[in-house]
Amino acid sequence: MSDNEQEGAKRPDRRTLSSAARLYAVQALFQMEAMGQASDRVTNEFRNYRIDFEDRDGPTAQADEELFERIVDHAVMWQSRIDQATDKGLVEKWPIDRLDPVLRAVFRAAGAELVLNRAPFRVIITEYVRLTQAFFAEGKESKFVNAVLDHMARTLQPDSFN
């Protein structure tokens, strides 16, 4: 890209950067579980080779890297609490361990944001339902995620409902 093209290229707005950070966080959490990798290794990989990176298929999306790292870090730090809140939102006899690993990553990323309590719970739920629709375009998973995240929000952000 020439200097003139770079000057004319606009940085995406905050919402777009936040949405991309959430997508990358779900992907990173999935990778950590699937490959048994530590969070610092995966976040470094994403920072250096995935977020706002030029690869053979073209540029990847820019993201709010601080939000990405906060989500991943808090998902790891608070995983037990997040998984317990997720289990409470699931039907009995269907614990989080039985879920599709992508759904587990979605719940853990969203749960991390609910624990952080920096964004309104409605925004968090909407964003992760939308991400779920991208991963499961044909399924009913987005309605399922919406219901479980609503329950999780009531558990993890009870003051938001008073």
Side-chain angles (χ1 to χ4, degrees):
M1 190 181 277
S2 73
D3 288 341
N4 288 340
E5 288 174 320
Q6 284 182 340
E7 287 175 17
K10 264 180 52 179
R11 181 165 168 84
D13 65 17
R14 197 184 90 187
R15 182 175 181 213
T16 301
L17 294 171
S18 295
S19 293
R22 290 176 173 112
L23 171 63
Y24 287 131
V26 169
Q27 292 173 334
L29 292 169
F30 175 86
Q31 179 177 328
M32 287 166 51
E33 181 178 344
M35 305 299 284
Q37 295 175 330
S39 64
D40 58 338
R41 179 177 178 189
V42 173
T43 55
N44 283 333
E45 177 185 326
F46 272 75
R47 203 177 313 111
N48 295 323
Y49 302 107
R50 302 236 186 135
I51 298 173
D52 195 18
F53 185 75
E54 185 77 34
D55 66 10
R56 69 174 185 257
D57 297 323
T60 61
Q62 294 179 24
D64 179 338
E65 291 185 43
E66 288 180 21
L67 177 60
F68 162 74
E69 289 183 32
R70 269 196 316 269
I71 293 169
V72 173
D73 289 346
H74 279 76
V76 171
M77 185 182 336
W78 297 103
Q79 183 175 329
S80 177
R81 182 177 177 199
I82 293 165
D83 286 357
Q84 287 173 359
T86 305
D87 279 338
K88 288 180 183 177
L90 297 170
V91 295
E92 207 174 305
K93 299 182 183 181
W94 198 269
I96 192 170
D97 294 339
R98 291 186 64 192
L99 292 177
D100 179 280
V102 173
L103 289 176
R104 267 196 305 275
V106 167
F107 288 133
R108 288 175 177 155
E113 284 205 74
L114 291 168
V115 168
L116 279 165
N117 201 10
R118 289 192 169 184
F121 74 90
R122 285 183 172 85
V123 170
I124 295 167
I125 292 172
T126 299
E127 284 286 305
Y128 286 98
V129 166
R130 190 182 57 72
L131 274 175
T132 302
Q133 290 168 336
F135 285 115
F136 301 96
E138 299 294 321
K140 297 178 183 175
E141 289 84 356
S142 61
K143 290 179 183 176
F144 170 68
V145 166
N146 187 54
V148 174
L149 288 181
D150 183 67
H151 193 278
M152 288 174 67
R154 292 173 191 280
T155 300
L156 296 171
Q157 287 189 4
D159 294 344
S160 298
F161 292 89
N162 292 337

